[in-house]
Amino acid sequence: MVEGAADADTGSSNRGDDDRQPTAASNKRQLNSDHNKQQPSKRRKKNKKHKKAPQNKNNQAKHKKQNNWVENCSESIHRIPSFCVAPLTCVITRVEIEEEPLLPKGLAGGSEKDMSGEDCTASDGKVDNADVKTDAQVPSTKEEYQTAVASADDKITTPLELDRKISNVAGLSTAFLSQYAKKVSWKASSSVQKNDEEKKLFIPVKRHVSAIGPTKWAQQRKKKGKKQPNKSNYIHLTGGDNGDGICNPYPSSSVPDKFWAQRKRLFSRYDEGIQIGGKDDPEMWYSVTPESIANHVAERMVKMIRQSRLEHDNFSCGKSIVILDVFCGCGGNSIAFARLNNVEKKDTKQVPHVKVIAVDNSLSRLRMAANNASIYGIDKRDIVFIHADAIEVLNQYTKGYIERNADVKEKNDPGHEVCAGFALGGLGSLPDVDGIFLSPPWGGMDYGNEGGQAGFDPVSSITVESSLEQAHQDRLCHEENKVASVKTNGGELLSFATRAVFDNLKQEGAIAYFLPRNTNGVSMGQIAVASGIEGCFEMEQNVVNGKVKTVTAYFGHSVKSLLE
């Protein structure tokens, strides 16, 4: 064996030491081979040109289209393996939302200062300061504007870091934590027991007619046959200026310019005093649901609850619908739910009254949400703000009904603070609910890179950390084997919400789970099965102006009937 290896290295072999003479055919092949080596064809030269490496690989990767699971997955509803069981079907839908475009990034014929971003003032030389409400003199320069926004933000809101220092972040109670520690560890399902036999779990995928083919926006563009406009009209201005002459007053390291430029997509009435959080709480800037999507999700979820009532209980059709928003932040989705009451109602059965329970563990964010709700003219009775931990709130419910606890009533009396006319209460203010809206943190601005081609997995990518109240933490520091905090993943969060609001006997309850656009529907199906959900669930693509922005997963007994 060693000799053979050496022969191979020297270019000879034992099998080639015979006295066989080359044939005419082999001589011809050898001549053709030598000719091709000496004179490469023009086609080969042309191919070599195409094999040149790109000059800038980073730019090529940056402009490469991202492949999202929900856009590219194929149907598997008719390909269920015989050795698998499919208790749940993932139905992919699409909704196309028309949104007024922002001001153009660069106007044709604009001044050189406007296009370069050197001057971020309006045409009259003064900055529009409608979103800064102070008693000081109206700012006339970029520097004065930035100073005014920063000072106003500090006066109106309490920074999140300061909240933690002065114990304004709601913590878990010791009673809940001791009960929570006894729970069995949660994990997504990969197999299902059926007829005393364990079978592999299979999540079939079905595409609704609305999610087949190109978007209407793309069809209209193709029908019009318009060429791409001149690139000079769409030059990105510096400093977060979206064309209105107002630059980002916050450090770009805290609040990126792209979020500042889209502030009116988050809240259309931003200039009237909307608060999203400043340099001390930049997370809110990439956590707020765009207003157009929030309005659609609110209408869709209320429609689910109304449909369930029509199918199973006609007597409660006119009853108010109570929605629990357990991660309200600065109030984008809570305001969208409450704004449904401003619609002219010809029939209470068609558009019932909506009441929102907005929960957040940060007192400063609740204050921002109350301020924003007042700007949108929300009735003070339509939103109840709860300062509490989301995980403890979800575990207070069973089948939509609150489990009353005497200790909770004494500790969290309702209305311990009033902000912008809204009461900010504790756990004692919680009413019974009909639906739950989940929009947990996605893990920062890099959520789009989570999961790679497999897609975003809520179990591994979403983590909600809850801690004991500060007073209890100090007491437990000297005790051994005591847990002062718990971590909940995105899958376990859905299981808590399912237990809290679903009533399989009465066929009641609805859940909307707001997720990134690259979320994997099969992973969501495995999570849903582990949470006890059967039948089907909906993965809705939220398309704004032809682009998939987010995905909303809907769970409820009326999902199937609404898709038929």
Side-chain angles (χ1 to χ4, degrees):
M1 295 296 292
V2 177
E3 291 179 359
D7 290 338
D9 292 338
T10 57
S12 63
S13 65
N14 294 331
R15 293 183 59 185
D17 290 341
D18 55 11
D19 297 330
R20 289 179 294 180
Q21 298 295 328
T23 62
S26 64
N27 288 335
K28 187 176 181 180
R29 286 196 298 269
Q30 182 65 29
L31 289 174
N32 291 338
S33 176
D34 295 341
H35 178 74
N36 291 336
K37 290 180 180 179
Q38 295 175 2
Q39 297 181 0
S41 64
K42 294 182 180 180
R43 185 175 182 181
R44 286 187 177 181
K45 289 182 178 180
K46 188 176 180 180
N47 289 340
K48 286 183 179 180
K49 292 181 180 180
H50 288 286
K51 290 181 180 179
K52 288 183 179 180
Q55 295 180 354
N56 194 337
K57 294 183 179 180
N58 293 332
N59 289 340
Q60 187 183 33
K62 182 178 179 181
H63 295 288
K64 187 178 180 181
K65 184 178 180 181
Q66 184 181 10
N67 295 323
N68 296 324
W69 181 92
V70 73
E71 295 178 87
N72 300 327
C73 67
S74 58
E75 283 194 342
S76 58
I77 187 69
H78 303 297
R79 296 185 282 110
I80 303 176
S82 58
F83 58 88
C84 296
V85 61
L88 188 68
T89 302
C90 173
V91 182
I92 298 176
T93 63
R94 180 197 297 157
V95 60
E96 300 191 39
I97 303 171
E98 294 294 333
E99 184 183 72
E100 292 185 9
L102 296 174
L103 294 175
K105 303 274 178 108
L107 300 176
S111 64
E112 294 182 0
K113 286 186 176 182
D114 291 338
M115 298 301 293
S116 64
E118 294 178 0
D119 187 5
C120 292
T121 58
S123 58
D124 58 356
K126 294 185 178 181
V127 177
D128 182 7
N129 67 319
D131 57 339
V132 183
K133 293 186 177 182
T134 61
D135 296 331
Q137 188 177 0
V138 177
S140 58
T141 65
K142 173 185 173 183
E143 290 74 15
E144 292 181 5
Y145 177 80
Q146 292 174 338
T147 304
V149 171
S151 61
D153 183 70
D154 290 339
K155 290 179 181 178
I156 297 174
T157 65
T158 304
L160 186 62
E161 291 300 325
L162 184 59
D163 265 3
R164 293 191 176 97
K165 291 179 182 179
I166 61 177
S167 300
N168 275 353
V169 172
L172 301 175
S173 63
T174 53
F176 169 74
L177 190 60
S178 61
Q179 182 182 4
Y180 185 89
K182 299 177 183 179
K183 292 182 178 293
V184 180
S185 59
W186 186 94
K187 64 178 182 178
S189 298
S190 58
S191 60
V192 177
Q193 288 285 344
K194 187 176 183 181
N195 298 329
D196 297 332
E197 183 182 357
E198 187 173 358
K199 288 193 174 184
K200 189 175 181 180
L201 176 63
F202 185 83
I203 305 297
V205 178
K206 180 181 179 181
R207 282 194 170 273
H208 190 259
V209 63
S210 62
I212 299 176
T215 62
K216 294 179 182 179
W217 187 87
Q219 292 176 2
Q220 292 175 358
R221 294 274 296 180
K222 185 177 181 180
K223 186 177 181 180
K224 291 179 181 179
K226 288 186 177 181
K227 296 181 180 180
Q228 288 290 339
N230 189 357
K231 291 183 179 180
S232 62
N233 292 343
Y234 291 89
I235 295 176
H236 286 261
L237 302 178
T238 59
D241 180 13
N242 63 2
D244 58 1
I246 302 178
C247 288
N248 184 3
Y250 304 106
S252 58
S253 58
S254 300
V255 181
D257 293 340
K258 65 177 182 179
F259 294 118
W260 172 259
Q262 301 185 56
R263 61 194 180 279
K264 292 184 181 178
R265 280 180 172 167
L266 304 180
F267 290 98
S268 60
R269 303 179 68 172
Y270 182 87
D271 288 345
E272 300 179 33
I274 292 294
Q275 300 167 23
I276 305 181
K279 58 185 178 181
D280 298 298
D281 191 8
E283 183 182 340
M284 285 294 93
W285 281 91
Y286 51 83
S287 299
V288 181
T289 305
E291 186 173 294
S292 59
I293 299 178
N295 291 338
H296 165 75
V297 172
E299 293 178 2
R300 179 73 172 79
M301 192 171 181
V302 169
K303 185 178 180 181
M304 285 176 57
I305 298 173
R306 188 182 71 236
Q307 180 68 21
S308 179
R309 288 180 175 181
L310 290 172
E311 292 177 357
H312 303 98
D313 187 3
N314 292 326
F315 296 100
S316 62
C317 291
K319 182 182 175 183
S320 296
I321 292 177
V322 182
I323 304 293
L324 178 64
D325 181 5
V326 290
F327 299 95
C328 84
C330 56
N333 291 97
S334 296
I335 293 172
F337 282 113
R339 288 180 68 187
L340 294 176
N341 297 325
N342 297 337
V343 179
E344 184 179 354
K345 301 176 182 179
K346 298 180 181 180
D347 187 357
T348 56
K349 292 185 178 181
Q350 294 297 324
V351 188
H353 185 270
V354 179
K355 187 173 182 178
V356 187
I357 312 302
V359 179
D360 205 283
N361 66 346
S362 171
L363 193 57
S364 66
R365 292 177 180 176
L366 288 176
R367 290 167 180 164
M368 286 191 289
N371 171 80
N372 299 340
S374 65
I375 291 174
Y376 276 87
I378 304 300
D379 191 284
K380 305 301 184 291
R381 296 166 293 181
D382 292 345
I383 298 183
V384 177
F385 293 100
I386 305 295
H387 183 219
D389 183 85
I391 305 303
E392 186 164 7
V393 167
L394 289 175
N395 282 272
Q396 299 293 316
Y397 287 93
T398 301
K399 298 181 180 180
Y401 295 98
I402 187 73
E403 296 179 351
R404 299 297 179 185
N405 189 320
D407 296 335
V408 168
K409 287 183 178 180
E410 292 179 4
K411 179 182 173 183
N412 301 284
D413 55 327
H416 64 260
E417 181 180 332
V418 176
C419 183
F422 291 90
L424 276 62
L427 294 176
S429 305
L430 292 172
D432 300 335
V433 297
D434 300 293
I436 296 177
F437 177 76
L438 299 174
S439 181
W442 294 345
M445 290 184 287
D446 296 331
Y447 65 86
N449 300 325
E450 291 286 342
Q453 295 181 352
F456 184 92
D457 184 4
V459 175
S460 59
S461 302
I462 295 178
T463 301
V464 179
E465 188 169 1
S466 307
S467 303
L468 273 174
E469 294 181 353
Q470 190 64 42
H472 298 304
Q473 287 187 28
D474 297 338
R475 181 169 56 84
L476 289 178
C477 287
H478 304 286
E479 299 182 19
E480 297 181 357
N481 301 324
K482 292 293 185 179
V483 180
S485 64
V486 294
K487 291 184 178 180
T488 306
N489 61 52
E492 193 173 10
L493 188 65
L494 179 62
S495 68
F496 288 158
T498 303
R499 174 185 173 274
V501 75
F502 272 19
D503 189 339
N504 294 327
L505 183 62
K506 296 182 179 180
Q507 300 286 296
E508 293 179 346
I511 298 173
Y513 204 146
F514 194 64
L515 296 161
R517 60 188 173 187
N518 61 327
T519 301
N520 190 313
V522 174
S523 299
M524 281 303 303
Q526 294 173 345
I527 294 170
V529 171
S531 302
I533 300 175
E534 296 182 352
C536 71
F537 75 101
E538 179 182 353
M539 290 277 289
E540 181 187 67
Q541 305 175 59
N542 305 132
V543 181
V544 179
N545 295 341
K547 295 182 180 180
V548 179
K549 294 295 184 180
T550 56
V551 168
T552 308
Y554 297 100
F555 304 90
H557 302 285
S558 61
V559 170
K560 184 177 180 179
S561 59
L562 289 173
L563 294 176
E564 292 176 351

